[in-house]
Amino acid sequence: MFALELGGNKYAWDSFIIMGLFAAFALLFIVFLLVERRAAEPIISYGMFRKRLFAASSAAALFYGAAFITAAVYIPIFVQGVMGGSATNSGLILLPLTLSSVVASQVGGMLSSKMSFRRIMIFSAVVFLLGMFLLATITPDTSRIILSVYMMITGFGIGFSFSVLSMSAIQGMEMRQRGSANSTISFLRSLGMTIGITIFGIIQRNDFKGQLTEKLGAASRNMPAGADPQHMLTPEARELIPPQVMEKISSALSLSVDHTFLWALIPVFFALVSVSMMGAGRMQFAQGPSAAPKQKRA
């Protein structure tokens, strides 16, 4: 994270510090893998990944997390910086995304008892892919209603992953492994969010700087807050910028956010590939008390 955040910004990509951070990451990651193989109680049990359903669910959780955090972060930035909303309004406008994801999570939980995990998650990934593509088409002229509809579609696609992946991860696991399996899924989703916001943050920031340079030319160097949109979103900062310049800044910010959403289609696509490899696994129900005697007589 430090290497990705500082590279090309504070330090050159080929600088000793950045190369050293990448080298340290590679070395420590190898050490982590070796230690986990020998640990009596590993943080992540490699044996669980031999199960197809768990491995596919884990990969999907990682990619869902990377794409989800992009929508959750850059929609408010778009609303505040392009549509001129306040920080409070930009937070409230995420309600369609949040509510639709909650509904989808409940629906996914109910459907898991009737059909395979793969079938549910393929539908989820396709809807998620459609939602992110629609978000990549928003412009300064997009209305709040249309944006809310796009968020509802995106949230509905995301929501299934919160319930279904948690259930698919523990299917076929021994009772003593289920806690570890569930926590591993949560960890990988959080890891995906961390990696996603770092990588896509770099993409958006560099794209925004490039758009500012293209639209404002040399004048972009004299911006009071630099090329960081966060400093331009407050009402106080907007009042200091001439309307003609603010329009170009909003356009540049809009394009950079759109391009970021387009890049975010990549992890959604990989999530679709991951869930398609989940197999025909379905929810397994515990046998009742009467099942044990029948098994013994058999």
Side-chain angles (χ1 to χ4, degrees):
M1 285 181 58
F2 279 118
L4 292 174
E5 181 67 24
L6 299 176
N9 186 22
K10 187 173 182 180
Y11 303 101
W13 285 108
D14 58 352
S15 66
F16 175 78
I17 293 178
I18 300 302
M19 298 301 293
L21 287 172
F22 279 124
F25 159 73
L27 177 62
L28 293 174
F29 183 68
I30 293 173
V31 171
F32 172 78
L33 295 178
L34 294 175
V35 171
E36 288 293 283
R37 289 189 61 184
R38 299 175 178 270
E41 296 291 340
I43 297 175
I44 299 178
S45 176
Y46 298 154
M48 296 189 299
F49 288 93
R50 297 190 184 99
K51 299 182 182 295
R52 177 179 178 178
L53 184 56
F54 177 80
S57 300
S58 300
L62 180 73
F63 293 124
Y64 264 89
F68 165 70
I69 195 64
T70 307
V73 168
Y74 286 106
I75 290 175
I77 289 179
F78 179 88
V79 171
Q80 191 176 354
V82 178
M83 294 184 170
S86 65
T88 302
N89 290 336
S90 63
L92 291 175
I93 205 169
L94 281 177
L95 277 177
L97 179 76
T98 304
L99 294 178
S100 61
S101 65
V102 172
V103 172
S105 179
Q106 297 295 325
V107 173
M110 292 185 292
L111 291 178
S112 295
S113 62
K114 301 177 181 179
M115 60 182 65
S116 67
F117 297 120
R118 178 176 64 182
R119 183 176 299 180
I120 300 171
M121 290 309 301
I122 286 178
F123 171 76
S124 166
V126 170
V127 175
F128 191 14
L129 193 68
L130 173 63
M132 290 300 295
F133 174 77
L134 291 174
L135 286 176
T137 65
I138 56 179
T139 67
D141 297 326
T142 301
S143 67
R144 293 287 185 94
I145 295 177
I146 295 298
L147 180 58
S148 297
V149 172
Y150 291 173
M151 282 192 288
M152 290 177 65
I153 296 173
T154 305
F156 194 74
I158 295 169
F160 288 93
S161 67
F162 296 143
S163 58
V164 178
L165 292 181
S166 297
M167 290 185 288
S168 64
I170 65 175
Q171 295 303 309
M173 295 289 182
E174 300 178 8
M175 291 301 296
R176 65 183 183 86
Q177 290 182 315
R178 291 190 173 185
S180 178
N182 195 26
S183 61
T184 299
I185 285 289
S186 299
F187 167 74
L188 290 174
R189 182 182 288 111
S190 299
L191 179 63
M193 292 181 181
T194 303
I195 296 174
I197 194 58
T198 302
I199 293 177
F200 293 119
I202 294 171
I203 291 174
Q204 190 276 332
R205 181 183 64 204
N206 292 337
D207 192 290
F208 182 49
K209 288 182 179 179
Q211 295 291 339
L212 278 181
T213 302
E214 179 181 345
K215 294 180 179 300
L216 298 178
S220 62
R221 303 175 184 176
N222 301 323
M223 295 304 300
D228 186 357
Q230 293 293 340
H231 296 285
M232 303 177 186
L233 301 182
T234 61
E236 295 80 7
R238 295 173 71 95
E239 291 179 359
L240 300 176
I241 301 175
Q244 309 93 317
V245 177
M246 193 65 230
E247 182 179 354
K248 293 182 179 181
I249 293 174
S250 297
S251 176
L253 181 59
S254 175
L255 287 173
S256 69
V257 172
D258 287 348
H259 295 164
T260 303
F261 286 146
L262 281 176
W263 280 103
L265 290 173
I266 295 177
V268 182
F269 172 77
F270 282 118
L272 177 59
V273 173
S274 299
V275 299
S276 66
M277 300 173 65
M278 293 176 73
R282 303 183 62 161
M283 181 181 292
Q284 299 174 1
F285 296 94
Q287 294 180 339
S290 60
K294 292 181 180 180
Q295 191 174 10
K296 289 183 179 179
R297 285 196 297 270

